Amino acid sequence: MSGTAKTDVKAEEPSFKREMLAALPSLRAFAMSLIGRHDRADDLVQDTIMKAWAKQDHFEMGTNMKAWLFTILRNELYSQMRKRGREVQDSDGYFTESLAQHPAQYGSLDLQDFKRALDQLPPDQREAIILVGASGFSYDEAAEICGCALGTIKSRVNRARQRLQDILQVTGENEYGPDATSAPLTSRAFVS
């Protein structure tokens, strides 16, 4: 009896591997938002996982695995960027425009506009807004990942939001949601 009780308890305990695997989708999304290319993001996630696996003795079970992995990913990205030196910038979007297809839906256009606006943010603001706004980290967790003070991360997120509003020319709440043509259709869909 006591042998099976130990086995059941051990099965319920979180394992390093299980927690790391659970964080993979968020880690990949974060890498994609920083790099913008699936192949490079996947390589970065793989490098991150390999480093984390090799350094698992440095991780304390019960602490925030996701934040630990995001920090490793961020540091690995910075290391790779330093090694690579300078990259070709596509600030005018010429190269990107030549590869893009025109979307069939307005939502796709809005998303493209948002991505371009996000790319115009300084790296520290972009990282902060992605961590807090898209990845769901608290300000405290984002500050820990970025290695800065809580006030600094709040300031970066606020400046990023203001800058995105300026770039996207958003002036009020009425600019969110469906346009004037589709609003009547969507509002009727939710009336019972």
Side-chain angles (χ1 to χ4, degrees):
M1 267 306 209
S2 63
T4 57
K6 285 182 182 177
T7 305
D8 292 340
V9 171
K10 192 172 186 176
E12 293 174 12
E13 291 176 11
S15 72
F16 182 85
K17 181 180 177 182
R18 197 172 301 130
E19 282 194 39
M20 188 170 62
L21 290 175
L24 279 177
S26 298
L27 199 63
R28 185 171 188 272
F30 183 54
M32 260 307 293
S33 68
L34 293 175
I35 295 177
R37 289 184 40 197
H38 292 285
D39 58 335
R40 288 188 54 213
D42 288 341
D43 290 345
L44 180 60
V45 170
Q46 182 176 355
D47 292 342
T48 300
I49 294 302
M50 294 299 291
K51 284 187 185 277
W53 190 261
K55 299 290 184 181
Q56 65 183 295
D57 57 321
H58 293 265
F59 179 73
E60 186 176 325
M61 289 303 289
T63 59
N64 192 337
M65 169 72 80
K66 197 170 168 186
W68 186 66
L69 290 171
F70 272 56
T71 302
I72 294 171
L73 184 137
R74 179 178 174 267
N75 291 342
E76 178 64 19
L77 175 64
Y78 288 160
S79 294
Q80 289 178 7
M81 289 173 69
R82 279 191 299 271
K83 287 177 189 173
R84 237 183 277 124
R86 295 184 179 216
E87 291 188 54
V88 175
Q89 292 286 329
D90 187 28
S91 57
D92 61 356
Y94 179 76
F95 182 71
T96 304
E97 296 263 341
S98 68
L99 296 176
Q101 295 181 357
H102 294 287
Q105 298 177 345
Y106 292 116
S108 296
L109 290 172
D110 290 341
L111 184 59
Q112 284 183 357
D113 290 343
F114 181 76
K115 285 180 180 177
R116 284 189 192 108
L118 194 62
D119 287 341
Q120 292 179 37
L121 294 177
D124 61 337
Q125 291 179 18
R126 182 174 50 245
E127 181 179 42
I129 195 82
I130 289 169
L131 286 171
V132 173
S135 298
F137 283 102
S138 69
Y139 286 111
D140 290 326
E141 292 170 326
E144 182 183 330
I145 291 169
C146 293
C148 64
L150 177 62
T152 302
I153 207 73
K154 286 181 177 181
S155 176
R156 288 177 183 174
V157 169
N158 185 48
R159 287 192 311 256
R161 286 179 178 148
Q162 292 298 319
R163 183 71 181 122
L164 287 172
Q165 285 179 338
D166 292 344
I167 294 169
L168 295 170
Q169 300 173 345
V170 174
T171 56
E173 286 185 29
N174 60 340
E175 303 214 9
Y176 295 103
D179 61 13
T181 306
S182 54
L185 300 172
T186 56
S187 63
R188 273 188 269 154
F190 296 106
V191 176
S192 35

